Amino acid sequence: MIFHKTGLEGAFLVEYEANADERGFFARTWCRREFVEQGLNPELVQCSISFNKKKGTLRGMHYQAAPYAEAKLVRCTRGAIYDVIIDLRPDSPDWRRWFGVELAVANNKMLYVPEGFAHGFITLADNTEVFYQMSAYYQPEATKGVRWNDPAFGIQWPIPVEMISRKDESYGAYWS
C-alpha cells in the first residue's frame, strides 16, 4: 500500500497496489503493520457497507463524539463517490479545513479518516456501494453531524445534491 498525505494532519489517501496478470489482479487493502508504521490507528472492530441507488445521494457529514471517536478506512467498491472529510479537532492546525477526493472502483484509492473528523460523500453514479472499516463500535448516543453545506467549511461539492436524509439535512451550523 502507498500512503499519500492529504494536507490535513493524520488523514491519508491510501492507494492499494494491484499485482496483475492475465487472470486479473490481487491487492492488499489492509495491513495492520503498515498502518502502525504510518502512525495510524490499527484497530479494526467493525465493517459496514452503504449502498446508494441514485447519483447525487449525499450522506454526511457524520462523526462519533468522544469517547467513542472512530477512525475509518473508506473504499468505493461499486460506482464512484466524492468523499469529504472535515477536521473538527479544536486544537488542530487544520481545524475546520476539509479535503475531498474521488473514490471509484477503477482508481485503487481509499481514504483514511482519523478520529475527530466528520465524514461524508456524494455519489457520482447510480448503484454505488461504499465499504467502511472502523476502529470503534457504533454508539448511537455518540452519533453527531455537521451540515454538509455549512459556510463555516465551504465544501465544494462537484455535483448538486439530489437526495439527502432528513437527519443529515437537519444538522445545524457549526459554531465551535
Side-chain angles (χ1 to χ4, degrees):
M1 290 183 292
I2 304 168
F3 294 81
H4 304 278
K5 293 181 179 183
T6 64
L8 301 181
E9 189 174 325
F12 285 82
L13 198 54
V14 182
E15 188 175 353
Y16 62 85
E17 298 176 277
N19 295 307
D21 63 21
E22 64 279 354
R23 299 168 294 170
F25 74 88
F26 178 86
R28 181 174 44 244
T29 61
W30 170 255
C31 178
R32 181 181 186 85
R33 181 176 53 229
E34 290 184 48
F35 272 66
V36 169
E37 288 171 358
Q38 295 295 323
L40 307 180
N41 185 339
E43 293 302 313
L44 179 58
V45 300
Q46 189 169 300
C47 298
S48 298
I49 294 173
S50 169
F51 176 77
N52 307 273
K53 293 179 184 179
K54 297 292 181 187
K55 176 180 177 177
T57 299
L58 190 133
R59 292 184 184 258
M61 301 296 296
H62 309 136
Y63 65 97
Q64 280 196 170
Y68 303 107
E70 62 186 353
K72 298 178 185 175
L73 183 62
V74 182
R75 179 172 171 242
C76 185
T77 54
R78 183 182 345 171
I81 62 172
Y82 185 70
D83 207 23
V84 175
I85 56 176
I86 305 169
D87 188 344
L88 296 180
R89 303 170 298 180
D91 58 344
S92 170
D94 298 318
W95 181 59
R96 292 182 12 177
R97 287 188 50 220
W98 65 276
F99 172 82
V101 64
E102 183 175 331
L103 301 180
V105 173
N107 71 11
N108 298 0
K109 294 178 184 174
M110 301 176 285
L111 185 60
Y112 176 81
V113 184
E115 296 91 338
F117 279 63
H119 170 258
F121 62 83
I122 191 165
T123 57
L124 302 176
D126 290 344
N127 299 313
T128 292
E129 184 178 271
V130 182
F131 181 70
Y132 298 80
Q133 296 171 264
M134 290 151 301
S135 68
Y137 294 105
Y138 175 66
Q139 297 291 330
E141 68 277 8
T143 301
K144 306 289 182 200
V146 296
R147 195 161 173 85
W148 63 277
N149 61 354
D150 189 328
F153 308 118
I155 298 169
Q156 301 295 307
W157 297 98
I159 64 172
V161 174
E162 300 292 336
M163 186 178 294
I164 187 170
S165 73
R166 285 188 190 129
K167 182 178 179 180
D168 288 353
E169 187 65 39
S170 72
Y171 289 128
Y174 184 73
W175 300 104
S176 293

